[in-house]
Amino acid sequence: MAGVATERAKQYQGNVTSYVIVACIVAAVGGSIFGYDIGISGVTSMDSFLQEFFPSVYEKKIRSQENNYCKFNDQGLAAFTSSLYLSGLKATLFASPVTSKYGRRISIIIGGISFLMGAALEASAISYPVLLLGRIMLGVGIGFGNQAIPLYLSEMAPTHLRGGLNMMFQLATTLGIFSANMINYRTTKIEQWNWRISLGLAAVPALLMTVGGILLPETPNSLIEQGSKEKGRKVLERIRGTQNVDAEFEDMIDASELANSVKHPYMNIIKTTSRPQLVMAIFMPMFQILTGINSILFYAPVLFESMGFKGNASLYSSALTGAVLVVSTLVSIATVDKLGRRVLLIGGGIQMIICHVIVGIVLGLKFGDDQELPEDYSLVVVVVICLFVAAYGWSWGPLGWTVPSEIFPLETRSAGQSITVAVNLFFTFIIAQSFLSLLCGLKFGLFLFFAGWVTVMTVFVYVFLPETKGVPIEEMMLIWQRHWFWKRFVLENSKEEGS
């Protein structure tokens, strides 16, 4: 049977120590890299950047008669944004065995170094190939970082605060987006080097991630899995603030023994007993992207400028959405371990559906191919988009990462997280590469397209996702055994394996 299915949770002891909080904060800084890159894509609306690398897009942009929905439709421009996610997808598959065999820290360090190299290449680029190479190196950094950091946070956090501490990754991501938007807003006033400064400053979070990875302790789960039981227990006692960690330590030993007996995690993860975790590892990140959030955040400056906002106003609007995302993520951190995962996901989904429909209707009625959106309606669109971003920020944004990172048993945890990251980056790549074409083709219908997907994912959560609040990470198998649908896969096949 996959995973540990004992019930020692009531025997767990320990407090929330300053040591574990500092470790989680430092590790989560790696999320700011992912966020900074999403936000910094706003350079695609800077004239100097477009003139340097995409002159044809710049020409279409300055032509007032150009179709509002199509003036930024260029596959080269889309490739600049989306190439990072394709390289990240490949990198995360290599990161899985590294994270499992050598620990979570080493993957965090590799991710930081790769991102430093990418930032340097992008900031100094004098041709499109160099710019693209820098983008690919950033992808390698994201592939390793996004694979290891959520696992690190889930394993370090105490059970009753795992949701909130795990969301530090998403909080750092949103802070990265907000910082990038504000930097873009400031650098637009610098005529010649604005885009180089924006892209080059990505080295700051990359440096913090690299140094943090060097200074952080390895998780006790990973140390025990590597055979360092005594060292693992010492780290566990330190992060829990007590020597009475026998129950949690025993769960980790059991999980480690099971993990070490599994030689091919990817083969194990496709077994029927792992069906519920595999389904969540695929559908949670896929649905997270199909909310439409990345489309709005990637191209917020482009989107607002297409609706008639000019120059600094478009970047200012983007900065506003970034700030909303930060605040809403703080709301999620404060409530996730009280209200649970399901309440936030379902409530956020309903709010996002309403927002998508409103924006689609307003653009359909008031925004033509070659006209600007009236000022009062533009304000309505910005407000509703902010409400959409807020709903995403306290639901699918953080929980799209938190839920997959906490449901896998130790023997398939690294492989499972790689699948989660790979699916996330694959759909991010697809949406990033196709968004400008979809916007040109579907026009306002694009928002109704995403509203349909949010409806599907909200029903999926209501029917298939059990509540994971308060369940120890090494005893997560119990929730699948008790779920009305998933128990048929877990229990029946466990009996077959046992016999």
Side-chain angles (χ1 to χ4, degrees):
M1 179 174 60
V4 177
T6 61
E7 292 191 74
R8 300 191 183 102
K10 294 180 181 178
Q11 303 172 38
Y12 281 22
Q13 296 186 36
N15 303 308
V16 183
T17 61
S18 58
Y19 186 78
V20 74
I21 290 175
V22 170
C24 287
I25 290 174
V26 172
V29 166
S32 64
I33 289 180
F34 190 37
Y36 189 87
D37 185 78
I38 292 173
I40 215 62
S41 296
V43 298
T44 55
S45 70
M46 293 182 181
D47 290 346
S48 57
F49 179 80
L50 293 175
Q51 286 176 301
E52 182 84 20
F53 297 107
F54 305 100
S56 62
V57 179
Y58 177 72
E59 289 297 321
K60 285 195 291 184
K61 176 184 175 182
I62 61 176
R63 274 188 243 141
S64 59
Q65 70 271 23
E66 186 70 43
N67 186 306
N68 275 324
Y69 289 106
C70 301
K71 60 184 174 183
F72 287 95
N73 185 19
D74 182 88
Q75 287 303 300
L77 181 60
F80 164 73
T81 298
S82 60
S83 58
L84 176 145
Y85 303 99
L86 193 59
S87 64
L89 188 158
K90 295 179 180 178
T92 193
L93 299 178
F94 288 101
S96 175
V98 173
T99 304
S100 181
K101 187 174 182 179
Y102 300 105
R104 287 45 169 153
R105 288 174 62 246
I106 189 66
S107 286
I108 294 174
I109 294 169
I110 292 173
I113 293 173
S114 300
F115 212 90
L116 276 170
M117 295 171 63
L121 285 168
E122 280 201 328
S124 61
I126 56 174
S127 64
Y128 182 73
V130 175
L131 187 73
L132 205 58
L133 178 61
R135 199 73 175 160
I136 290 170
M137 288 306 301
L138 298 181
V140 174
I142 284 179
F144 274 85
N146 285 19
Q147 203 276 338
I149 293 170
L151 290 187
Y152 186 93
L153 296 172
S154 286
E155 292 179 345
M156 291 291 281
T159 298
H160 64 290
L161 289 177
R162 187 179 62 244
L165 289 177
N166 189 285
M167 285 182 181
M168 297 298 293
F169 177 77
Q170 178 65 15
L171 178 62
T173 300
T174 60
L175 287 170
I177 294 170
F178 179 68
S179 299
N181 285 330
M182 293 308 296
I183 287 170
N184 279 343
Y185 176 64
R186 300 296 298 179
T187 55
T188 50
K189 300 177 181 179
I190 305 172
E191 292 184 6
Q192 190 173 4
W193 295 89
N194 50 9
W195 63 269
R196 293 189 187 276
I197 295 171
S198 292
L199 295 176
L201 284 175
V204 175
L207 182 62
L208 291 174
M209 177 176 171
T210 306
V211 173
I214 294 171
L215 298 178
L216 288 173
E218 186 56 83
T219 70
N221 311 64
S222 182
L223 288 169
I224 294 169
E225 185 181 10
Q226 295 171 54
S228 303
K229 294 182 180 178
E230 289 302 316
K231 190 174 180 180
R233 182 175 179 113
K234 288 180 181 178
V235 173
L236 182 60
E237 291 175 355
R238 190 172 182 183
I239 63 177
R240 298 293 179 258
T242 178
Q243 294 184 343
N244 299 322
V245 294
D246 292 342
E248 190 171 2
F249 184 67
E250 284 301 316
D251 271 349
M252 290 182 183
I253 292 291
D254 291 346
S256 173
E257 291 174 352
L258 191 55
N260 289 327
S261 70
V262 175
K263 302 302 179 185
H264 304 287
Y266 284 108
M267 293 300 295
N268 208 62
I269 211 171
I270 62 175
K271 289 183 178 180
T272 308
T273 49
S274 297
R275 184 68 50 78
Q277 296 98 322
L278 180 61
V279 168
M280 295 302 161
I282 293 172
F283 281 91
M284 291 297 289
M286 181 187 81
F287 284 149
Q288 185 191 51
I289 302 306
L290 289 174
T291 58
I293 186 67
N294 282 24
S295 302
I296 290 174
L297 295 181
F298 282 151
Y299 300 107
V302 173
L303 196 62
F304 285 118
E305 193 159 319
S306 291
M307 290 188 294
F309 292 88
K310 298 299 182 183
N312 290 346
S314 69
L315 288 172
Y316 184 78
S317 300
S318 305
L320 176 62
T321 59
V324 170
L325 195 54
V326 171
V327 174
S328 59
T329 303
L330 289 171
V331 172
S332 187
I333 289 174
T335 58
V336 66
D337 289 308
K338 297 177 182 177
L339 300 177
R341 283 64 162 157
R342 282 169 52 87
V343 170
L344 295 180
L345 286 169
I346 293 170
I350 292 171
Q351 184 170 323
M352 284 190 287
I353 293 167
I354 295 171
C355 291
H356 269 313
V357 171
I358 292 174
V359 172
I361 291 174
V362 170
L363 295 185
L365 294 176
K366 297 294 181 180
F367 188 48
D369 286 345
D370 56 358
Q371 66 187 69
E372 291 187 0
L373 193 66
E375 186 175 344
D376 51 346
Y377 285 99
S378 296
L379 182 60
V380 170
V381 169
V382 172
V383 170
V384 175
I385 285 179
C386 286
L387 289 173
F388 169 85
V389 170
Y392 174 86
W394 53 261
S395 61
W396 279 94
L399 290 170
W401 291 107
T402 297
V403 172
S405 73
E406 66 184 2
I407 60 175
F408 280 94
L410 185 60
E411 67 267 23
T412 55
R413 190 170 297 152
S414 182
Q417 184 66 14
S418 279
I419 292 173
T420 299
V421 176
V423 171
N424 179 285
L425 294 178
F426 174 75
F427 278 93
T428 302
F429 168 77
I430 294 298
I431 293 297
Q433 188 66 29
S434 63
F435 174 74
L436 293 176
S437 296
L438 286 172
L439 181 63
C440 182
L442 296 177
K443 300 180 173 61
F444 65 89
L446 180 62
F447 293 91
L448 302 180
F449 168 80
F450 285 125
W453 276 110
V454 179
T455 302
V456 171
M457 66 187 73
T458 303
V459 173
F460 174 86
V461 169
Y462 181 79
V463 176
F464 295 112
L465 180 65
E467 183 55 66
T468 59
K469 178 186 71 173
V471 182
I473 193 169
E474 302 301 355
E475 296 184 5
M476 200 61 71
M477 183 56 63
L478 294 170
I479 67 170
W480 307 113
Q481 292 178 357
R482 295 166 181 164
H483 189 268
W484 72 273
F485 180 78
W486 298 118
K487 66 182 180 182
R488 73 187 70 180
F489 298 98
V490 178
L491 291 175
E492 291 177 11
N493 287 277
S494 294
K495 290 176 183 177
E496 292 176 10
E497 290 179 11
S499 62

